[in-house]
C-alpha cells in the first residue's frame, strides 16, 4: 500500500465513532492496516524457502531407494538395460576386444563392494568401482583414480553401464557419473539378482 493511501486510511480510522465495542475493534483494525508494512513484501520471503526445498527434492528424487514408479526414479538421460541387452553387449565387447575395427565397447561397471564380488563373481568383463565406499571415484583426478584402483578410469566419451545387487546403487552411480561429466550412462535395474535368476554367465573376481 502506498504511503499517501496509508495516511488517508489512518485519518479516516481516527475519525471513526467509538460508541460500541465493535466500533473500537474496527477502529483498531483500520489503524493497524494503515500503519503496517505492506504484506506483499513479506510473502516472497516466506515462500522462497519452500520453493528452494521443492527444487532440491526434485533434483535428488532419482537417488531415492523408496517406492515410486520406475520413470520417477530413473536418472535423467540414463538408458535402462534388460538382461538380454546386457548379455548381448558382453558378446559385442568380446568381439571389440578381438578386432580393432569394432565399435567402441560399452564399459560395464560393477559398483558393489569387493567382498560381494568375491562371494558371487561378476558379469564377465565388468570393472569394479565400489560406489558406497568410494563415492568420490568419478570426481577425483585421473591420476588419483588410477592410484586407487590400479587401472585407468574410463574416458568421458565412453558409455558406462552400471549394475549392483538390486539396482539402487547402480542408479546412484549413473547419477554421479552424469554429474561428473559422463554423458552416456546406463543402468541394469535388475542388476546381479536378475542376472543370477536368468542364469547369466559369471566371471570369478
Amino acid at each position: 500500500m502506498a504511503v499517501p493511501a496509508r495516511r488517508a486510511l489512518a485519518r479516516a480510522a481516527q475519525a471513526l465513532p467509538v460508541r460500541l465495542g465493535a466500533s473500537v475493534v474496527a477502529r483498531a483494525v483500520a489503524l493497524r492496516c494503515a500503519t503496517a508494512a505492506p504484506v506483499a513484501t513479506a510473502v516472497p520471503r516466506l515462500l522462497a524457502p519452500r520453493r528452494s526445498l521443492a527444487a532440491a527434492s526434485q533434483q535428488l528424487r532419482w537417488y531415492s531407494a523408496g517406492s515410486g514408479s520406475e520413470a520417477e526414479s530413473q536418472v535423467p538421460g540414463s538408458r535402462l538395460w534388460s538382461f538380454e541387452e546386457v548379455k548381448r553387449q558382453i558378446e559385442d565387447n568380446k568381439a571389440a576386444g578381438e578386432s580393432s575395427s569394432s565399435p567402441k565397447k560399452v564399459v560395464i561397471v560393477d559398483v558393489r563392494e569387493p567382498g560381494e564380488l568375491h562371494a558371487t563373481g561378476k558379469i564377465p568383463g565388468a570393472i569394479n568401482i565400489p560406489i558406497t565406499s568410494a563415492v568420490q571415484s568419478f570426481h577425483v583426478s585421473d591420476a588419483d583414480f588410477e592410484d586407487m584402483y590400479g587401472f585407468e578410469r574410463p574416458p568421458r566419451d565412453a558409455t558406462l553401464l552400471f549394475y549392483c545387487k538390486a539396482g539402487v546403487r547402480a542408479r546412484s552411480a549413473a547419477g554421479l557419473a552424469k554429474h561428473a561429466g559422463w554423458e552416456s550412462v546406463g543402468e541394469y535395474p535388475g542388476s546381479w539378482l536378475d542376472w543370477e535368476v536368468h542364469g547369466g554367465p559369471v566371471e570369478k573376481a
Side-chain angles (χ1 to χ4, degrees):
M1 185 182 297
V3 173
R6 290 205 304 274
R7 289 174 178 170
L9 183 56
R11 288 194 295 270
Q14 290 171 350
L16 287 173
V18 191
R19 289 193 296 270
L20 298 173
S23 297
V24 173
V25 174
R27 188 169 183 269
V29 170
L31 283 169
R32 176 60 179 166
C33 292
T35 57
V39 176
T41 59
V43 172
R45 288 195 294 270
L46 292 174
L47 295 181
R50 290 191 177 187
R51 286 198 297 267
S52 299
L53 181 59
S57 298
Q58 180 69 21
Q59 292 174 353
L60 295 175
R61 180 183 298 174
W62 35 264
Y63 284 107
S64 173
S67 60
S69 68
E70 190 173 81
E72 288 179 341
S73 61
Q74 182 186 355
V75 175
S78 176
R79 173 186 170 186
L80 300 183
W81 292 64
S82 67
F83 168 80
E84 291 297 335
E85 289 173 325
V86 177
K87 187 177 180 181
R88 186 161 53 249
Q89 187 60 53
I90 293 173
E91 298 171 356
D92 292 344
N93 283 357
K94 185 177 180 181
E98 296 172 352
S99 173
S100 58
S101 62
S102 297
K104 184 182 299 181
K105 68 180 182 180
V106 173
V107 180
I108 301 175
V109 185
D110 190 323
V111 299
R112 296 178 296 165
E113 295 302 305
E116 295 177 83
L117 274 71
H118 292 310
T120 64
K122 64 177 184 176
I123 292 177
I127 63 174
N128 180 217
I129 304 177
I131 203 64
T132 301
S133 61
V135 68
Q136 76 279 15
S137 297
F138 291 101
H139 290 84
V140 298
S141 67
D142 290 340
D144 287 342
F145 180 93
E146 190 167 356
D147 288 342
M148 290 170 62
Y149 296 105
F151 57 85
E152 292 184 0
R153 183 167 56 189
R156 282 178 170 76
D157 62 350
T159 297
L160 304 182
L161 167 55
F162 296 98
Y163 78 93
C164 55
K165 179 180 180 180
V168 176
R169 285 173 287 177
R171 181 169 65 244
S172 297
L176 289 170
K178 285 282 285 186
H179 182 271
W182 277 262
E183 292 297 329
S184 182
V185 301
E187 313 156 44
Y188 177 19
S191 284
W192 184 258
L193 294 180
D194 185 70
W195 188 258
E196 198 170 39
V197 166
H198 284 86
V202 178
E203 178 183 332
K204 289 185 177 180

